[in-house]
Structures are given as C-alpha cells and as structure tokens.
Amino acid sequence: MVNKAILVGRLGRDPEARYTGGGTPVCNFSLATDESYTDKAGQRQKKTEWHNIVAWGKLAEQCTNLLGKGKLAYVEGRLQTREWNDRDGNKRRTTEIVINRMRVLTPRGDPALDIEAGTGVEPPGDTAPEITDDDVPF
C-alpha cells in the first residue's frame, strides 16, 4: 500500500515551532497550491487548496529556520487524519501531511536546499525531482 503526498506551494504563514513533553521538536505550517483551468464560459479560473503540514525532529527545526510566509517549497510526506474532542465535546477531525522531505525552491540560478528527515541539509542531487517554472502552480 502507498500513502504518499508530493506538493509544491507557497507557505501561507510562518512555521510554528514547539516541543513535545519529551522534548521532540514539531513544526506546523500551511502550504497553498493552485490549480488553473478554463471554465465553460472560456474564463480563466484559479482555485487555491490549503494543506496543513507537520514536520518532526531535525526536519522540524530546519523548516522553522529556513521557511517563512510566502516562500516556495517542495514537500514529500504521508497523509494522516487525526480525531479529537473539542472543549464543547464535539468530535473534530483534521487531515494533514506529515513530511519527511522538504526542499526550499529558489529563483532560477540559486542553489536550493534539499532536506530529508534525519539527514540534515544536503546539496541538490540526482534524487530530487527537476522542477521548472511550468511545474510551479503560481
């Protein structure tokens, strides 16, 4: 079975960093992806989808240090759905992407950073996908 999400988008807010009771770093941020299409009337339309992103451990620290609102990023991870009861006892549910890889995308000609969980910062290499301006949804 496969549970894999790959996104390229812009951060909607600065990453929020915190630590669990056991001291493990965790980072949350939102990522916006856009889809453009032509409607039946021939008008160009754009739809934005927002994704909740979660990073753990060293990757969380690196996301906190390297990312900020408006930055373009490539992320890979898995979908996870959590359920809980709010203060009023209502059942709540959220779906998020727990990432294990993040790449800061930079303007053409600038080196990008490629980060995988537990490996630190690595220079871009053959394992990272080639992303061109045509691939970016903005």
Side-chain angles (χ1 to χ4, degrees), residues 26-38:
V26 61
C27 169
N28 298 81
F29 57 93
S30 59
L31 193 73
T33 57
D34 286 342
E35 174 186 358
S36 296
Y37 62 94
T38 304

Side-chain angles (χ1 to χ4, degrees), residues 16-91:
E16 296 176 14
R18 63 187 198 294
Y19 292 85
T20 65
T24 302
V26 61
C27 169
N28 298 81
F29 57 93
S30 59
L31 193 73
T33 57
D34 286 342
E35 174 186 358
S36 296
Y37 62 94
T38 304
D39 65 16
K40 291 179 181 180
Q43 298 296 313
R44 204 73 179 130
Q45 301 292 327
K46 183 170 115 175
K47 178 184 176 190
T48 301
E49 189 75 35
W50 288 95
H51 310 275
N52 296 318
I53 309 296
V54 180
W56 291 90
K58 188 148 185 83
L59 181 59
E61 292 174 337
Q62 292 167 335
C63 287
T64 302
N65 293 332
L66 297 172
L67 295 174
K69 181 178 180 177
K71 289 258 188 177
L72 186 63
Y74 167 95
V75 297
E76 286 184 25
R78 62 181 170 80
L79 289 170
Q80 172 180 285
T81 302
R82 292 185 297 118
E83 293 182 353
W84 73 96
N85 292 324
D86 66 13
R87 292 181 188 140
D88 299 326
N90 299 316
K91 190 175 237 181

Side-chain angles (χ1 to χ4, degrees), residues 93-135:
R93 184 179 178 139
T94 189
T95 300
E96 54 202 9
I97 299 168
V98 180
I99 62 170
N100 58 13
R101 184 172 188 182
M102 184 275 296
R103 183 174 183 151
V104 180
L105 300 179
T106 59
R108 191 174 295 203
D110 289 347
L113 297 174
D114 192 9
I115 302 168
E116 288 192 54
T119 63
V121 178
E122 300 175 359
D126 295 334
T127 60
E130 175 90 21
I131 298 175
T132 66
D133 290 341
D134 295 332
D135 298 319

